[in-house]
Amino acid sequence: MEDTKMEKEVVSKNFIEQIIDKDIEEGKCETVCTRFPPEPNGYLHVGHAKSILLNYGLAQKYHGKFNMRFDDTNPTKEKEEFVESIKADIKWLGADWEDRLFFASDYFDQMYEAAVKLIKKGKAYVCDLSPEEIREYRGTLTEPGKESPYRGRSVEENLELFRNMKDGKYQDGEKVLRAKIDMASPNINMRDPIIYRVAHMTHHRTGDKWCIYPMYDFAHPIEDAIEGITHSICTLEFEDHRPLYDWVVRELEYPHPPKQIEFAKLYLTNVVTGKRYIKRLVEEGIVDGWDDPRLVSIAALKRRGFTPESIKNFVELCGVSKSNSSVDYAMLEYCIREDLKLKKPRMMAVLDPIKLIIDNYPEGQVEDLDVENNLENEELGKRTVPFCRELYIDREDFMENPPKKYFRLFPGNEVRLMHAYFVKCESFVKDENGNVTEIHCTYDPETKCGSGFTGRKVKGTIHWVAAPTAVEAEVRLYENIIDEEKGVYNEDGSLNLNPNSLTVRKCYVEPALKEAKAYDSFQFVRQGYFCVDARDSRPDALVFNRIVSLKSSFKLPKQD
């Protein structure tokens, strides 16, 4: 019986965990150490959440260490704003790096010395070819490259030229340092890749100390080796770069070389995750920042009302794979619904209000109704909801000439007002444009909810808000900002925008919502889950973002 349990446990582990188990068993590592290494050139998106939670989760599972490291080797695109946003996002997701916060720029001196070591070993040289010439010499997938005419420079000449590069004696692009590997390699990444370039740029941490900067493929393995990373978990596009990663740590003779392992990225359908696309949306004012709730940056998801738990559940459902695939956005919506449905109170909000007057209800009388906050979770308790003669209901809950199987209000029909009484539509009032402005009803005082009334039944129940105590608010309803299946760009180069990606409405909500604070979330019955906007909402002008509607097209796959 025990053997069967053990077999099931092994089978349930993903391929990365199986590799780590084997390395531990063979004595290749004692303490597992992973890292998350973002470049601070934009905000993180939901795809990064998979990498964060995977790397952090592995460190936790194996009682190891987790490093938070910024790969800040490209000062042309990096900002302190992005550093701070990334730190906030990772902490919000629950990944705790404790005192293990690092920057690639911490190692610039060591990287320079590593390049010098390669030169001295005859494994690197300074090249004067232009970027265009380097591309031309590189060859193609079917043809080998050509060696640079500068490949044969002596160690002494290369050392002097590289020192001059560091001392600022050359213009950007005038010279580069290249690894000397194999111009005929079937892997283009091994055809004497550039490992240092001249860039007279001010760095957000080191200022103007450096005018040469290492390339990512050279810097990353050095960072991992210095920090004692045992398993460098990265996405599949780096699979072809792994031979170069291994070459760097081998030639630099690190005693405990890290192991690079690749896994499939998380792709979501019909959303924009590319930083250059989001940057354009931000710069053109199409969205109101990197945290606009129509985006899927982690900051945007947080602002919209998603929870860390929902994102963790989403990542777990996606799993860890070796092959790329796309996940339907509906799965992410499913996860937030599942997370909120037992946690949040169910409140009444009228998003498209129309006045309903109960003609036979006593004028001036206000009745306090005791209402369960969540029928599926008694621990959320009850609240008091005021009821009176004049109410607001949603415009879609009344029709003058309804179709068949319409069970809400229409002339002569009776419905239940949620938590309250049966009301019957007697008449209605229109304005000069033919729009209904008031609905007049009568109520049956014997039908109060919870009274045990069984005299007759109604087929429709509608929600409402008492007009005198209703709190006016703004709601923002979201759709995908771009349909990527049609292409991000139109033929003229403009972005393929969804004109209905944001709908703003004035609405009325229960008085119990008056004290709602930033990030507080609720279910608005029949409307969806909503969250108080952290940027624009104020105590005297509440703003609610719709997190997700109540209806789902996603079904969880059956488990074997």
Side-chain angles (χ1 to χ4, degrees):
M1 190 69 174
E2 290 297 322
D3 290 341
T4 304
K5 287 183 179 178
M6 288 288 289
E7 285 176 12
K8 285 185 178 178
E9 183 181 353
V10 171
V11 170
S12 68
K13 291 190 174 184
N14 64 53
F15 77 95
I16 297 176
E17 291 168 340
Q18 291 173 24
I19 291 172
I20 294 174
D21 285 347
K22 188 169 184 287
D23 288 344
I24 293 172
E25 185 181 335
E26 294 176 355
K28 294 180 181 178
C29 76
E30 294 181 4
T31 302
V32 171
C33 188
T34 62
R35 83 290 170 269
F36 177 63
E39 183 181 357
N41 63 353
Y43 282 54
L44 301 181
H45 57 69
V46 67
H48 293 111
K50 179 177 180 179
S51 183
I52 295 164
L53 295 172
L54 174 59
N55 278 284
Y56 181 68
L58 289 169
Q60 293 292 103
K61 180 167 187 172
Y62 290 94
H63 307 289
K65 298 175 182 178
F66 171 74
N67 289 6
M68 174 64 220
R69 182 212 306 145
F70 287 94
D71 258 313
D72 55 345
T73 58
N74 185 8
T76 59
K77 299 179 180 179
E78 297 163 356
K79 295 180 182 177
E80 195 64 30
E81 171 197 352
F82 299 142
V83 171
E84 294 306 315
S85 75
I86 290 170
K87 285 161 69 174
D89 290 345
I90 294 172
K91 284 189 174 180
W92 179 73
L93 281 173
D96 185 5
W97 60 81
E98 298 177 347
D99 58 348
R100 304 186 66 78
L101 175 62
F102 304 100
F103 291 83
S105 52
D106 295 336
Y107 314 127
F108 279 171
D109 288 292
Q110 289 156 282
M111 291 176 191
Y112 177 79
E113 292 303 322
V116 169
K117 181 174 182 176
L118 290 181
I119 293 172
K120 288 180 177 179
K121 289 180 69 174
K123 298 290 185 176
Y125 63 96
V126 174
C127 182
D128 297 1
L129 292 177
S130 68
E132 294 77 17
E133 289 171 326
I134 290 175
R135 278 193 294 272
E136 182 185 336
Y137 274 56
R138 186 177 291 134
T140 66
L141 292 173
T142 56
E143 297 175 349
K146 294 188 300 182
E147 292 186 356
S148 165
Y150 307 100
R151 201 174 195 267
R153 280 172 164 160
S154 67
V155 168
E156 293 72 21
E157 184 181 6
N158 282 316
L159 287 172
E160 181 180 0
L161 291 171
F162 189 51
R163 191 160 46 246
N164 290 340
M165 285 171 63
K166 180 177 79 75
D167 292 342
K169 295 185 179 180
Y170 306 117
Q171 299 298 311
D172 292 1
E174 190 175 343
K175 294 185 189 297
V176 294
L177 183 69
R178 298 174 68 178
K180 187 186 288 188
I181 307 178
D182 181 6
M183 289 303 294
S185 171
N187 186 334
I188 289 181
N189 296 296
M190 300 296 282
R191 295 180 187 175
D192 290 10
I194 298 170
I195 58 176
Y196 257 97
R197 82 280 196 195
V198 178
H200 292 81
M201 297 290 296
T202 300
H203 191 280
H204 70 101
R205 294 188 74 242
T206 60
D208 294 321
K209 177 181 177 181
W210 296 92
C211 64
I212 57 170
Y213 291 96
M215 303 299 287
Y216 178 86
D217 278 348
F218 179 65
H220 192 75
I222 293 175
E223 296 156 24
D224 285 347
I226 291 172
E227 293 177 11
I229 301 301
T230 57
H231 299 86
S232 183
I233 317 297
C234 58
T235 46
L236 275 179
E237 70 263 35
F238 293 101
E239 185 174 22
D240 290 341
H241 297 245
R242 193 198 318 154
L244 178 55
Y245 182 101
D246 293 341
W247 183 90
V248 170
V249 294
R250 182 173 64 252
E251 291 297 338
L252 293 175
E253 303 170 39
Y254 288 107
H256 303 291
K259 175 181 286 188
Q260 178 175 303
I261 307 171
E262 306 85 19
F263 69 98
K265 263 187 176 181
L266 174 55
Y267 290 100
L268 268 182
T269 58
N270 295 331
V271 298
V272 179
T273 54
K275 289 178 183 175
R276 63 191 178 102
Y277 296 136
I278 296 176
K279 187 169 182 255
R280 181 170 174 181
L281 292 170
V282 172
E283 290 178 347
E284 293 182 7
I286 296 166
V287 296
D288 67 5
W290 288 83
D291 65 346
D292 187 294
R294 288 169 288 180
L295 302 175
V296 289
S297 65
I298 294 175
L301 291 171
K302 177 184 177 183
R303 181 180 170 192
R304 184 159 171 173
F306 280 78
T307 61
E309 293 78 13
S310 67
I311 295 174
K312 289 175 187 174
N313 188 30
F314 173 64
V315 168
E316 287 176 9
L317 285 176
C318 291
V320 179
S321 160
K322 292 182 182 181
S323 56
N324 285 325
S325 61
S326 293
V327 177
D328 196 325
Y329 183 78
M331 185 192 283
L332 181 60
E333 294 181 321
Y334 165 84
C335 290
I336 186 63
R337 287 190 194 94
E338 287 296 298
D339 186 53
L340 297 181
K341 69 180 182 181
L342 297 180
K343 294 180 179 179
K344 300 302 175 181
R346 296 172 183 178
M347 318 290 279
M348 292 190 289
V350 177
L351 272 54
D352 188 9
I354 185 172
K355 183 73 72 72
L356 183 148
I357 300 170
I358 306 173
D359 292 327
N360 65 333
Y361 194 89
E363 287 195 47
Q365 178 174 311
V366 177
E367 192 174 350
D368 288 333
L369 306 176
D370 286 333
V371 174
E372 295 278 354
N373 281 324
N374 189 322
L375 291 173
E376 296 179 71
N377 184 358
E378 293 181 359
E379 293 182 4
L380 292 182
K382 296 182 178 183
R383 70 184 186 282
T384 299
V385 179
F387 180 83
C388 62
R389 185 173 186 267
E390 294 192 5
L391 313 172
Y392 290 114
I393 67 169
D394 261 306
R395 187 171 295 274
E396 67 175 16
D397 287 338
F398 172 81
M399 291 189 75
E400 181 180 357
N401 299 299
K404 289 183 179 180
K405 296 186 178 180
Y406 181 84
F407 300 123
R408 285 168 272 179
L409 268 181
F410 55 87
N413 192 45
E414 191 174 43
V415 300
R416 175 176 287 286
L417 294 176
M418 187 174 286
H419 310 303
Y421 300 92
F422 288 6
V423 293
K424 181 179 180 181
C425 178
E426 304 291 352
S427 63
F428 55 91
V429 178
K430 290 183 177 181
D431 61 17
E432 63 275 12
N433 297 317
N435 298 312
V436 176
T437 57
E438 285 183 3
I439 301 163
H440 287 263
C441 294
T442 54
Y443 88 116
D444 182 348
E446 300 296 321
T447 60
K448 186 175 181 178
C449 190
S451 66
F453 174 78
T454 58
R456 62 188 181 278
K457 293 182 179 180
V458 291
K459 292 185 176 179
T461 299
I462 64 174
H463 65 285
W464 51 273
V465 175
T469 56
V471 176
E472 188 174 346
E474 179 181 294
V475 290
R476 297 172 179 176
L477 310 177
Y478 299 104
E479 295 180 9
N480 291 332
I481 193 165
I482 286 177
D483 186 349
E484 284 197 297
E485 290 183 357
K486 296 179 181 177
V488 175
Y489 291 112
N490 294 311
E491 290 183 2
D492 62 359
S494 61
L495 287 163
N496 180 20
L497 299 175
N498 174 5
N500 301 314
S501 65
L502 171 62
T503 301
V504 179
R505 289 182 182 173
K506 292 296 181 184
C507 72
Y508 290 107
V509 300
E510 287 185 39
L513 288 164
K514 191 173 183 179
E515 304 301 320
K517 305 280 192 305
Y519 298 116
D520 286 350
S521 55
F522 312 88
Q523 184 192 123
F524 289 174
V525 292
R526 297 173 57 212
Q527 302 290 353
Y529 291 96
F530 287 76
C531 176
V532 179
D533 188 81
R535 182 191 293 184
D536 298 332
S537 189
R538 302 189 307 275
D540 61 339
L542 291 172
V543 177
F544 293 92
N545 299 322
R546 184 160 69 183
I547 309 168
V548 65
S549 65
L550 295 177
K551 294 180 180 179
S552 174
S553 61
F554 174 79
K555 291 185 179 179
L556 195 63
K558 291 182 180 180
Q559 301 295 318
D560 294 332

